[in-house]
Amino acid sequence: MAIAARLCAARALRPPSGLPGIWLIQIRDTHQRASLLSFWDLIPMRAEPVRKKKIDTKKDQAAKDRLKKRLRKLEKANQELIPIEDFITPLKFLDKSRQRPPVELSFEESERRALLLKKWSRYKQQEHEAERNAITSMLKAQQEALQELKLESSELYTEAIKRDSSLFPFEREGPHYTPPISNYQPPEGRYNDTTQVYVQHEFKK
């Protein structure tokens, strides 16, 4: 193979006249056109063929058997349950000494709060009745308008009683407990990550 490559390179270096003994050698190499003499560096002169590794069938079968046995053990073993810390009350909060004593109110303060609660209940009842009366009057007016429209034109009445698909889904925001603060930038703050990491232990070989 090396002799054939040398003959091909020699033919390529001959001048167009074909006269023997005259060789055209490229002196300067550029990044656009490499010299033909650098072709010899690419030819593997004494490359050794790749040898195939011998596979021991017994060792391969034993490794597969160990893997199958390990998988069977993992399937039989019960998985470790991860506790949900949100549903577990810490013991330090169950201490009775941490309970806040009830505040004893005076007779005047208790009467004032009771009267205030009664006034608030009366106000909410009046608000509910006014809202219910307003809805009832609007529904009654709507039914009267539909009956008049039906007498005028049945086509318009049919279009009026069709269901509006744009009403659902209905989305509404609020009311809020406190009014929003304009141009409020919440602080990032610092915190310590105390999240526990649970690792599933595997069986040893």
Side-chain angles (χ1 to χ4, degrees):
M1 180 178 177
I3 297 174
R6 291 178 182 179
L7 292 176
C8 293
R11 292 173 183 174
L13 293 175
R14 287 181 181 179
S17 59
L19 296 177
I22 300 176
W23 302 89
L24 178 62
I25 300 176
Q26 187 175 357
I27 300 175
R28 185 178 179 183
D29 296 336
T30 61
H31 67 280
Q32 297 178 354
R33 182 179 180 183
S35 174
L36 291 176
L37 296 178
S38 63
F39 180 74
W40 301 107
D41 298 334
L42 303 177
I43 300 176
M45 295 299 182
R46 301 180 63 184
E48 184 180 359
V50 180
R51 295 180 181 180
K52 295 183 178 179
K53 295 183 179 180
K54 294 183 179 180
I55 300 175
D56 193 353
T57 56
K58 294 184 179 179
K59 291 184 178 180
D60 191 14
Q61 187 64 30
K64 290 181 180 179
D65 294 340
R66 287 195 299 269
L67 182 59
K68 290 180 181 178
K69 187 176 180 181
R70 189 176 180 184
L71 290 175
R72 285 196 298 268
K73 287 184 178 180
L74 291 176
E75 290 176 356
K76 293 180 181 179
N78 296 327
Q79 293 185 358
E80 182 181 358
L81 300 179
I82 300 176
I84 303 177
E85 297 182 357
D86 296 340
F87 299 157
I88 301 175
T89 306
L91 296 177
K92 63 180 180 179
F93 296 145
L94 300 177
D95 189 5
K96 294 183 179 180
S97 61
R98 291 177 54 88
Q99 293 181 0
R100 182 179 299 177
V103 181
E104 296 182 359
L105 300 176
S106 60
F107 178 75
E108 292 80 5
E109 181 65 21
S110 59
E111 288 293 324
R112 187 186 71 83
R113 293 188 180 186
L115 291 175
L116 184 61
L117 184 60
K118 289 181 180 180
K119 289 182 180 179
W120 174 253
S121 300
R122 193 180 300 111
Y123 168 75
K124 295 300 292 183
Q125 182 182 3
Q126 293 175 359
E127 183 182 15
H128 173 67
E129 290 178 354
E131 184 178 359
R132 184 178 59 184
N133 295 333
I135 293 175
T136 304
S137 61
M138 285 190 292
L139 290 175
K140 185 178 179 180
Q142 184 183 22
Q143 292 298 328
E144 293 177 356
L146 288 175
Q147 293 298 329
E148 293 293 333
L149 183 62
K150 187 176 182 180
L151 296 175
E152 293 292 334
S153 174
S154 59
E155 296 179 357
L156 295 178
Y157 174 78
T158 306
E159 292 293 331
I161 62 176
K162 282 186 178 180
R163 182 178 298 178
D164 190 1
S165 59
S166 62
L167 295 178
F168 297 97
F170 178 74
E171 297 181 0
R172 183 180 178 183
E173 183 181 359
H176 301 283
Y177 289 103
T178 55
I181 302 175
S182 59
N183 300 327
Y184 176 73
Q185 298 294 334
E188 295 181 358
R190 297 180 181 179
Y191 67 95
N192 297 326
D193 190 5
T194 59
T195 305
Q196 297 183 5
V197 180
Y198 297 91
V199 181
Q200 187 74 24
H201 298 284
E202 298 181 357
F203 292 95
K204 295 182 180 180
K205 295 182 180 179

